[in-house]
Short mmCIF file of all heavy atoms in Angstrom, two decimals:
data_model
loop_
_atom_site.label_atom_id
_atom_site.label_comp_id
_atom_site.label_asym_id
_atom_site.label_seq_id
_atom_site.Cartn_x
_atom_site.Cartn_y
_atom_site.Cartn_z
N LYS A 486 116.73 129.07 204.69
CA LYS A 486 117.22 130.20 205.49
C LYS A 486 118.54 129.93 206.21
O LYS A 486 118.99 130.76 207.00
CB LYS A 486 116.16 130.61 206.52
CG LYS A 486 114.85 131.08 205.89
CD LYS A 486 113.82 131.44 206.95
CE LYS A 486 112.51 131.90 206.32
NZ LYS A 486 111.49 132.24 207.35
N SER A 487 119.15 128.80 205.97
CA SER A 487 120.40 128.46 206.64
C SER A 487 121.58 129.14 205.96
O SER A 487 121.48 129.63 204.84
CB SER A 487 120.61 126.95 206.64
OG SER A 487 119.62 126.30 207.42
N SER A 488 122.71 129.12 206.63
CA SER A 488 123.92 129.70 206.05
C SER A 488 124.35 128.96 204.79
O SER A 488 125.04 129.51 203.94
CB SER A 488 125.06 129.69 207.08
OG SER A 488 125.33 128.37 207.51
N PHE A 489 123.95 127.70 204.67
CA PHE A 489 124.31 126.93 203.47
C PHE A 489 123.34 127.13 202.31
O PHE A 489 123.59 126.66 201.20
CB PHE A 489 124.41 125.43 203.79
CG PHE A 489 123.12 124.79 204.25
CD1 PHE A 489 122.08 124.54 203.37
CD2 PHE A 489 122.97 124.38 205.57
CE1 PHE A 489 120.90 123.92 203.79
CE2 PHE A 489 121.79 123.77 206.01
CZ PHE A 489 120.76 123.54 205.10
N SER A 490 122.23 127.81 202.55
CA SER A 490 121.19 127.94 201.53
C SER A 490 121.60 128.93 200.44
O SER A 490 121.85 130.10 200.72
CB SER A 490 119.88 128.41 202.17
OG SER A 490 119.48 127.54 203.22
N VAL A 491 121.65 128.47 199.21
CA VAL A 491 121.98 129.33 198.06
C VAL A 491 120.67 129.72 197.39
O VAL A 491 120.16 129.04 196.50
CB VAL A 491 122.92 128.61 197.07
CG1 VAL A 491 123.32 129.57 195.95
CG2 VAL A 491 124.15 128.08 197.79
N MET A 492 120.10 130.82 197.86
CA MET A 492 118.77 131.24 197.41
C MET A 492 118.88 132.31 196.34
O MET A 492 118.52 133.47 196.53
CB MET A 492 117.96 131.72 198.62
CG MET A 492 117.76 130.67 199.69
SD MET A 492 116.95 129.17 199.07
CE MET A 492 115.32 129.83 198.71
N LYS A 493 119.41 131.90 195.20
CA LYS A 493 119.55 132.78 194.06
C LYS A 493 118.64 132.28 192.95
O LYS A 493 117.96 131.26 193.10
CB LYS A 493 121.01 132.78 193.57
CG LYS A 493 122.02 133.28 194.59
CD LYS A 493 123.43 133.14 194.06
CE LYS A 493 124.46 133.68 195.05
NZ LYS A 493 124.41 135.14 195.17
N ASP A 494 118.61 132.99 191.83
CA ASP A 494 117.98 132.46 190.64
C ASP A 494 118.59 131.09 190.35
O ASP A 494 119.77 130.85 190.63
CB ASP A 494 118.22 133.44 189.48
CG ASP A 494 117.77 132.89 188.15
OD1 ASP A 494 116.58 132.98 187.84
OD2 ASP A 494 118.64 132.34 187.43
N TYR A 495 117.78 130.18 189.77
CA TYR A 495 118.25 128.80 189.54
C TYR A 495 119.59 128.77 188.81
O TYR A 495 120.53 128.13 189.27
CB TYR A 495 117.19 128.04 188.76
CG TYR A 495 117.59 126.63 188.35
CD1 TYR A 495 117.54 125.59 189.28
CD2 TYR A 495 118.01 126.35 187.06
CE1 TYR A 495 117.91 124.29 188.92
CE2 TYR A 495 118.38 125.07 186.69
CZ TYR A 495 118.32 124.04 187.62
OH TYR A 495 118.69 122.76 187.26
N LYS A 496 119.68 129.47 187.70
CA LYS A 496 120.92 129.48 186.93
C LYS A 496 122.06 130.06 187.75
O LYS A 496 123.18 129.51 187.77
CB LYS A 496 120.75 130.28 185.64
CG LYS A 496 121.98 130.32 184.76
CD LYS A 496 121.73 131.13 183.49
CE LYS A 496 123.01 131.22 182.65
NZ LYS A 496 122.77 132.03 181.41
N ASP A 497 121.79 131.15 188.46
CA ASP A 497 122.84 131.78 189.27
C ASP A 497 123.28 130.88 190.43
O ASP A 497 124.44 130.93 190.85
CB ASP A 497 122.34 133.12 189.82
CG ASP A 497 122.22 134.17 188.73
OD1 ASP A 497 122.81 133.98 187.66
OD2 ASP A 497 121.53 135.18 188.97
N SER A 498 122.35 130.08 190.94
CA SER A 498 122.71 129.18 192.05
C SER A 498 123.72 128.14 191.59
O SER A 498 124.59 127.72 192.36
CB SER A 498 121.45 128.50 192.63
OG SER A 498 120.94 127.50 191.75
N TRP A 499 123.61 127.73 190.34
CA TRP A 499 124.59 126.79 189.80
C TRP A 499 125.92 127.49 189.50
O TRP A 499 126.99 126.92 189.73
CB TRP A 499 124.04 126.10 188.54
CG TRP A 499 123.28 124.86 188.89
CD1 TRP A 499 121.93 124.71 188.99
CD2 TRP A 499 123.86 123.59 189.21
NE1 TRP A 499 121.62 123.43 189.37
CE2 TRP A 499 122.78 122.72 189.50
CE3 TRP A 499 125.16 123.11 189.30
CZ2 TRP A 499 122.99 121.38 189.86
CZ3 TRP A 499 125.37 121.77 189.66
CH2 TRP A 499 124.28 120.93 189.93
N GLU A 500 125.86 128.71 189.03
CA GLU A 500 127.10 129.45 188.81
C GLU A 500 127.83 129.66 190.13
O GLU A 500 129.05 129.64 190.19
CB GLU A 500 126.79 130.80 188.15
CG GLU A 500 126.32 130.69 186.70
CD GLU A 500 127.31 129.94 185.83
OE1 GLU A 500 128.53 130.23 185.90
OE2 GLU A 500 126.87 129.03 185.09
N TYR A 501 127.06 129.82 191.19
CA TYR A 501 127.65 130.03 192.51
C TYR A 501 128.48 128.82 192.93
O TYR A 501 129.64 128.96 193.35
CB TYR A 501 126.54 130.28 193.53
CG TYR A 501 127.05 130.53 194.94
CD1 TYR A 501 127.37 131.82 195.35
CD2 TYR A 501 127.19 129.48 195.84
CE1 TYR A 501 127.85 132.05 196.63
CE2 TYR A 501 127.67 129.71 197.12
CZ TYR A 501 127.99 131.00 197.51
OH TYR A 501 128.47 131.22 198.78
#
Side-chain angles (χ1 to χ4, degrees):
K486 298 178 181 180
S487 295
S488 58
F489 63 73
S490 304
V491 184
M492 300 302 292
K493 299 176 178 290
D494 172 83
Y495 175 79
K496 181 180 177 181
D497 289 343
S498 73
W499 271 99
E500 290 304 313
Y501 181 88

